[in-house]
Structures are given as structure tokens and as C-alpha cells.
Amino acid sequence: PILSGLVGSEMCIRDRESVDTYNFKFVVDNYFIKDTTLRVDKSVDISINLGEVKSGSRVVLKNLIFKQSSTDLDDESLPYLNDLLHLFRSNSDIRITIEGHTDNRGDFRSNIKLSRERSEVIKNFLVINGIKKSQIKVKGLGPTKPRYSNDNEESRKLNRRVELFVN
């Protein structure tokens, strides 16, 4: 769906970086939260597509970035953990699978283990914040499902990710 207007939703301007750059956070029940930056040079209509939270939905948690070979999140990632709680507010019975991924550097088995541990970090945060363990499965897929080439550090960083799947 396309969000046009703000009926039944929350929209806030988080920061204003310059005269024409705005950071928005869209929070709408039954949809994944969307953080985006818009550059506007003049008055225009803008449509933002939001991903519906439903069985079979999958989303890459782009703002949750892990440090290389670690279960530690980059400091910038920490505030986005709270956004995951939104999924459970309007869908109290939702069941999800958190899938951890790594780049292809290092030992294969170690990467599988690391990716599972990264998924567990996210699960533990949710459980500490009141979500039932039974609603959350975790998988460690290691380097088996890269989204990007592993030829350079920038793309390897993007492969070190967590995806959320709605069961």
C-alpha cells in the first residue's frame, strides 16, 4: 500500500539536516516501520510504500548492522531494536523467524554459529521486552544466502545482516 496522508498513522520528522533534507519515520499498525531520508528541492507529492506485516512477509533489518566477526551491533543500530517491538503491538499473536547472515570470510561452521548467535541477540532483546519466546524462532544461515557480492568490504558489510520472516 501507499501511505498518502496520515490517517490512522504516526509520522514524525526526526531530524532536519539542511534546508531540503528530511529524515522521516513512518509508524503504521500492521506495517513494518519505515525510516527514510527525503531530499526535496521544491513542493512535490511523495508516496512512500510500506511493507505489510502478514504471513510470508520478509524484511531485511537494514538498520541492524553487526560488527565484523562479532555479535556486537554498531552503536547506530541500537535505537532500531525498539522498532521491532512495534510488530507485536498490533499483532500480539505474530510468530516470526529471525535469520542471521554473515559474509563469506572465515570458517564456514564458525560463520553459521555466529549468524545464529546474532539472531539470538535480537531474540533476547525482544524477550527481555516482554515478547514470548514461543513467538520467535532463530536461524543461523551464515554465508549461504548472500544478497550481494562478497568481493569487497562494502558489499560484505551488507551481507552481515538480519532478516525477519513472518511465519
Side-chain angles (χ1 to χ4, degrees):
I2 296 173
L3 178 67
S4 72
L6 302 174
V7 177
S9 67
E10 169 189 330
M11 182 186 85
C12 59
I13 298 175
R14 293 181 47 176
D15 295 309
R16 187 169 178 180
E17 294 175 353
S18 69
V19 173
D20 60 357
T21 302
Y22 303 88
N23 292 326
F24 290 93
K25 182 174 187 174
F26 298 92
V27 181
V28 181
D29 287 349
N30 298 312
Y31 290 86
F32 294 106
I33 289 177
K34 177 98 169 187
D35 269 314
T36 192
T37 300
L38 301 174
R39 291 195 60 127
V40 181
D41 294 329
K42 58 185 173 184
S43 179
V44 317
D45 289 332
I46 298 172
S47 297
I48 305 293
N49 291 317
L50 302 178
E52 187 174 3
V53 176
K54 63 182 180 179
S55 182
S57 296
R58 176 179 300 276
V59 65
V60 176
L61 303 174
K62 292 179 184 176
N63 294 320
L64 299 182
I65 305 293
F66 287 91
K67 296 177 182 172
Q68 187 174 359
S69 303
S70 172
T71 58
D72 294 334
L73 286 163
D74 283 347
D75 292 339
E76 300 149 9
S77 298
L78 298 176
Y80 295 100
L81 283 172
N82 286 317
D83 289 349
L84 294 177
L85 297 171
H86 167 77
L87 295 174
F88 297 90
R89 286 190 196 114
S90 56
N91 302 289
S92 60
D93 294 330
I94 192 172
R95 296 189 182 282
I96 63 169
T97 301
I98 301 168
E99 300 174 348
H101 300 267
T102 64
D103 61 28
N104 67 348
R105 299 292 173 145
D107 178 69
F108 180 82
R109 287 186 184 175
S110 296
N111 279 338
I112 295 290
K113 181 178 183 261
L114 176 62
S115 62
R116 181 168 179 84
E117 290 171 350
R118 288 176 174 170
S119 297
E120 290 286 349
V121 166
I122 307 304
K123 178 180 180 177
N124 291 340
F125 171 83
L126 293 170
V127 170
I128 286 168
N129 283 281
I131 308 306
K132 297 175 194 164
K133 285 183 184 180
S134 62
Q135 291 180 262
I136 308 164
K137 293 181 185 178
V138 296
K139 286 185 180 179
L141 299 172
T144 62
K145 294 190 175 183
R147 285 189 166 248
Y148 304 93
S149 161
N150 278 299
D151 292 340
N152 62 64
E153 179 54 26
E154 281 305 307
S155 58
R156 283 192 296 272
K157 183 178 179 179
L158 296 171
N159 283 327
R160 296 190 295 264
R161 70 190 188 282
V162 175
E163 293 186 13
L164 185 142
F165 179 76
V166 179
N167 300 326

